[in-house]
Amino acid sequence: MKCLLFIICFVNVQCDITYIEVKYPLTGKLAPPNVVWPHPQKMEVSNDLLYIRPNDLQVDSNIETCDIVAKAIERYKPLFFPPTLDMHQPPADTENILQTLTLNAKNNSQCEKYIELTSSEAYNLTIKQKVAVVEAESVWGLLRGLETFSQLIYINEQNYVVINSSVNITDSPRFRHRGIMLDTARHFVPVPVIKKNLDTMAYNKINVFHWHLVDDQSFPFESKTFPNLSRAGAFSPDHVYTPVDVADVIEHARLRGIRVIPEIDTPGHTFSWSKSMPELITVCWAHGKPYQAIYSIQGEMEIFNPSEPRVYSTMDALLREIKERFPSNYVHLGMDEVYDKCWLSNPNIRQWMVDNHILSTKNLQKYYADRILDITRNISVTPIVWQDVWDEKVELPPGTIIQVWKDSSDNIEFDSWASYLNRAANEGYNVILSSPWYLNYISYGKYNTDRSVMNLEFFKYYEVEPLRQFSGSNEAKERILGGEACLWGEFVDGTNLLSRFWPKASAVAERLWSPATINNSEDAQFRLDVHRCRLLRRGIPAQPILNGHCGNYEVGMPKSLINHPIFNYENPTWASTTKASLPAKVLASLSSSSTKMVTSYIYVIFFLSVGYFYH
């Protein structure tokens, strides 16, 4: 009898995978239920298992006073033991039980406060003689090792919590900069969703949150220096990131070993500034009239006016505030997509260009970029820029990071994004890659090989090799710092961000962490599908990779963890306020199981009615 199912996991953590279609077999190697993602550099594990007592694993550390370690230990308990799933105590007659997990910082390592570009994330993980040990030179390595340990745990078919009895893992990232770029200006993304996204980044060992804070559509960042920017430029007073919100996101990221790099994109993408500071914006002309939009070419007011001195004093003050509020010493300046038709349409700017011997809009952009980059020099921050300003031959300060987002379709001089990486790194610039990892481009479906069928959404990201066709020196190769998966927000907000990001971004995470030799796409689809089910068990609504199912913890099912309070960050103040004002009998019904919800509503209506008529 032909079997159409590959069963690769068990009961509570099961994830059954079927063929995409009956005529298309999946030819990769099936993955175990505790596969590690991203794949470590070196890993040896036994097939023998140890039991773990649910909610009773002793975890200690030689730097337990470090808040990063202490809070991580607490945070990982529900990851070890998912709160809705059934788990049994080990058999009474067994001694084959994992006793402890120790997080050991070597060489008297200090409790660093913030992760840096140069921080070590290397770790060793061993399990032998019923004892697990994670060793690292830094707290960040301990975090990465703790994540790997958590992924090795699973629940077997008898509902026992188990782990491999012998493990030897030596691991470190291939690239230093492994990022996620999120646009929160085209659509506002609430802080609780951003924090869940940061959690998922940590589950994938991603260490940079590139926060695209403002754009044409809105200015949600609440500046202390220029509060009117968000008062006028945000969608509403509710669609704002307050100083408390920003500090909350930075702290959430810090505890997970993630740097937060803010982006203030100029001179283009600045229409939202015009709501409060119209004097900074170029007025676009057409047919001899100001404030004229020529759609697809220019808006009415859409780009900074580089001839206006207040542009530079404003940017100086704002960038100084950004440096003060964001602990990362890196600031993304944007500088992409400077559509210069508006500049040329404005008679005042044309005359200013003549007066200042600026002969082209390329030189005008260079003038603007030089002024802004001088500000970054003066305040001692390292700039990151989209590649456009480098394309325009602007000389960038030493250490500047160029983010490559274009490919061959943007410039016939280059045959691919790899050519951009080659040239920038060989010119002495640090580079990060994003061109092939724009996750907002949805390509539904599959493509066929001679043997199998591939999930296009996954494989087009997974099969990217950042160093392909690289022809520079080893020194130049070191300047390729890594890459970022980007999610632009035209059609993304809190309703779909997590499922749009994950697990597609996991493919990028493995490419940037794991050895280049870990590149078998056929096998990876099975491993990633297991990891996707793991994300569901951690409250993340990650979308499917293959046909099949994970288990009774999927979205909307009885054991689902997607809305479990332990994995969510909404502050339900309305609930406590409502409950405090209700009679005790109603409170009891509200605190009972969801099957009594209808009864609760009946009680509420009853008491409100009695109160109304009594009044």
Side-chain angles (χ1 to χ4, degrees):
M1 183 178 72
K2 293 183 179 179
C3 178
L4 299 182
L5 296 179
F6 292 120
I7 301 176
I8 66 172
C9 300
F10 304 99
V11 186
N12 284 326
V13 293
Q14 66 188 13
C15 50
D16 290 0
I17 300 171
T18 69
Y19 304 129
I20 300 297
E21 295 178 27
V22 174
K23 63 183 176 181
Y24 292 121
L26 298 177
T27 62
K29 182 181 178 182
L30 301 183
N34 60 347
V35 65
V36 176
W37 191 284
H39 197 287
Q41 299 288 329
K42 297 179 181 178
M43 179 170 65
E44 298 174 356
V45 296
S46 67
N47 292 324
D48 298 330
L49 300 174
L50 294 173
Y51 293 100
I52 301 177
R53 294 187 181 92
N55 303 304
D56 194 30
L57 177 65
Q58 180 182 340
V59 183
D60 52 42
S61 173
N62 64 344
I63 54 170
E64 243 177 61
T65 55
C66 175
D67 63 339
I68 293 168
V69 173
K71 292 181 179 180
I73 290 172
E74 284 302 307
R75 190 168 67 245
Y76 270 83
K77 288 178 181 177
L79 305 186
F80 297 161
F81 312 110
T84 68
L85 302 188
D86 297 326
M87 294 168 283
H88 294 165
Q89 290 293 334
D93 58 349
T94 186
E95 296 182 357
N96 205 29
I97 297 173
L98 183 68
Q99 301 297 321
T100 61
L101 166 65
T102 299
L103 307 177
N104 182 27
K106 298 188 289 186
N107 302 325
N108 297 315
S109 298
Q110 300 300 309
C111 181
E112 303 169 57
K113 189 169 184 181
Y114 294 102
I115 190 170
E116 303 288 348
L117 176 65
T118 55
S119 295
S120 170
E121 297 172 84
Y123 68 91
N124 295 323
L125 168 59
T126 59
I127 300 177
K128 59 183 179 181
Q129 298 178 346
K130 306 175 190 175
V131 172
V133 178
V134 174
E135 286 192 321
E137 299 284 351
S138 71
V139 293
W140 318 118
L142 294 182
L143 286 184
R144 306 308 178 223
L146 180 59
E147 173 58 35
T148 295
F149 176 84
S150 75
Q151 295 186 15
L152 290 172
I153 297 173
Y154 69 102
I155 303 170
N156 72 5
E157 56 188 343
Q158 289 84 33
N159 287 359
Y160 293 125
V161 185
V162 295
I163 195 169
N164 309 80
S165 62
S166 176
V167 173
N168 193 351
I169 293 175
T170 302
D171 202 10
S172 60
R174 182 182 177 204
F175 291 99
R176 290 178 282 166
H177 185 116
R178 306 178 309 281
I180 288 292
M181 191 232 70
L182 176 60
D183 165 19
T184 60
R186 288 172 172 84
H187 280 97
F188 183 81
V189 178
V191 169
V193 180
I194 292 176
K195 291 165 82 170
K196 285 193 75 166
N197 198 56
L198 289 166
D199 289 349
T200 322
M201 290 167 61
Y203 303 153
N204 290 272
K205 299 186 174 76
I206 291 174
N207 66 355
V208 175
F209 173 36
H210 170 179
W211 194 353
H212 185 87
L213 274 167
V214 299
D215 212 295
D216 283 324
Q217 292 78 4
S218 75
F219 199 108
F221 173 72
E222 185 179 299
S223 166
K224 298 177 183 178
T225 311
F226 304 108
N228 283 339
L229 281 170
S230 59
R231 287 174 188 164
F235 291 130
S236 81
D238 295 318
H239 295 81
V240 169
Y241 299 112
T242 67
V244 172
D245 291 333
V246 171
D248 191 20
V249 169
I250 291 170
E251 176 66 3
H252 197 85
R254 179 185 79 87
L255 292 171
R256 289 153 181 79
I258 297 170
R259 293 188 291 146
V260 180
I261 297 178
E263 180 182 353
I264 304 294
D265 194 0
T266 67
H269 296 275
T270 53
F271 178 73
S272 62
W273 297 62
S274 70
K275 308 290 183 62
S276 62
M277 294 184 170
E279 68 275 10
L280 305 185
I281 311 298
T282 303
V283 174
C284 305
W285 286 58
H287 311 297
K289 297 179 181 179
Y291 300 100
Q292 299 300 304
I294 305 174
Y295 294 112
S296 80
I297 296 177
Q298 67 184 41
E300 296 177 8
M301 298 176 68
E302 68 163 41
I303 189 169
F304 270 179
N305 180 351
S307 70
E308 172 54 61
R310 285 174 292 183
V311 163
Y312 306 103
S313 59
T314 300
M315 285 297 293
D316 184 284
L318 183 61
L319 290 175
R320 289 179 187 276
E321 178 185 348
I322 291 289
K323 182 187 178 183
E324 178 186 338
R325 291 176 56 184
F326 287 84
S328 172
N329 203 40
Y330 295 80
V331 175
H332 204 299
L333 300 173
M335 296 192 179
D336 63 312
E337 297 180 325
V338 179
Y339 302 123
D340 52 17
K341 294 291 192 299
C342 179
W343 280 342
L344 290 177
S345 76
N346 186 294
N348 297 325
I349 289 182
R350 288 202 308 271
Q351 185 59 52
W352 184 86
M353 291 172 65
V354 171
D355 295 343
N356 288 272
H357 310 291
I358 296 175
L359 304 179
S360 68
T361 54
K362 285 189 176 183
N363 288 335
L364 184 57
Q365 183 179 352
K366 183 178 185 305
Y367 173 86
Y368 174 82
D370 284 341
R371 294 286 302 270
I372 300 302
L373 291 166
D374 279 343
I375 294 172
T376 65
R377 291 185 185 95
N378 292 336
I379 64 176
S380 300
V381 300
T382 301
I384 306 175
V385 294
W386 297 107
Q387 71 178 86
D388 307 51
V389 66
W390 169 69
D391 290 341
E392 301 296 342
K393 312 301 183 186
V394 174
E395 184 178 345
L396 303 172
T400 298
I401 298 174
I402 296 171
Q403 187 159 3
V404 172
W405 68 276
K406 298 180 181 180
D407 59 23
S408 57
S409 64
D410 296 286
N411 189 335
I412 60 174
E413 182 182 353
F414 297 91
D415 59 12
S416 72
W417 51 259
S419 301
Y420 287 113
L421 282 186
N422 259 331
R423 179 177 293 187
N426 286 320
E427 287 181 4
Y429 292 112
N430 292 326
V431 192
I432 54 179
L433 174 65
S434 288
S435 303
W437 291 323
Y438 269 42
L439 305 191
N440 49 293
Y441 292 162
I442 300 175
S443 302
Y444 175 79
K446 58 184 172 53
Y447 67 94
N448 300 336
T449 70
D450 292 338
R451 300 183 305 157
S452 186
V453 57
M454 303 271 194
N455 177 314
L456 184 60
E457 279 283 83
F458 161 57
F459 287 100
K460 72 176 180 179
Y461 303 126
Y462 188 79
E463 294 184 345
V464 172
E465 170 45 52
L467 297 181
R468 81 177 192 201
Q469 303 173 11
F470 188 78
S471 57
S473 64
N474 288 333
E475 182 182 1
K477 186 183 294 184
E478 287 296 313
R479 289 194 283 270
I480 299 178
L481 304 180
E484 290 181 0
C486 300
L487 190 64
W488 297 99
E490 287 90 347
F491 307 106
V492 176
D493 66 5
T495 64
N496 63 345
L497 180 143
L498 293 170
S499 58
R500 186 68 61 85
F501 247 137
W502 307 103
K504 289 185 294 185
S506 301
V508 183
E510 180 154 290
R511 187 52 53 238
L512 294 173
W513 178 282
S514 303
T517 53
I518 303 296
N519 59 9
N520 187 317
S521 302
E522 299 275 4
D523 291 348
Q525 64 186 339
F526 288 96
R527 294 192 293 109
L528 186 55
D529 209 69
V530 172
H531 186 57
R532 179 256 172 170
C533 292
R534 177 184 296 131
L535 295 180
L536 288 185
R537 296 194 298 275
R538 297 179 176 196
I540 307 301
Q543 69 180 40
I545 289 294
L546 299 171
N547 293 355
H549 71 278
C550 288
N552 61 358
Y553 50 84
E554 292 173 341
V555 178
M557 297 189 75
K559 302 290 185 178
S560 175
L561 290 140
I562 301 302
N563 296 312
H564 196 284
I566 207 161
F567 296 129
N568 288 275
Y569 302 101
E570 290 84 355
N571 183 13
T573 53
W574 64 269
S576 58
T577 303
T578 304
K579 289 183 181 182
S581 63
L582 294 177
K585 196 170 185 179
V586 179
L587 274 176
S589 65
L590 282 172
S591 62
S592 65
S593 68
S594 59
T595 58
K596 298 181 181 179
M597 188 62 73
V598 174
T599 306
S600 300
Y601 289 141
I602 293 172
Y603 277 127
V604 172
I605 294 169
F606 172 76
F607 281 105
L608 289 176
S609 300
V610 170
Y612 175 81
F613 286 110
Y614 178 79
H615 179 72

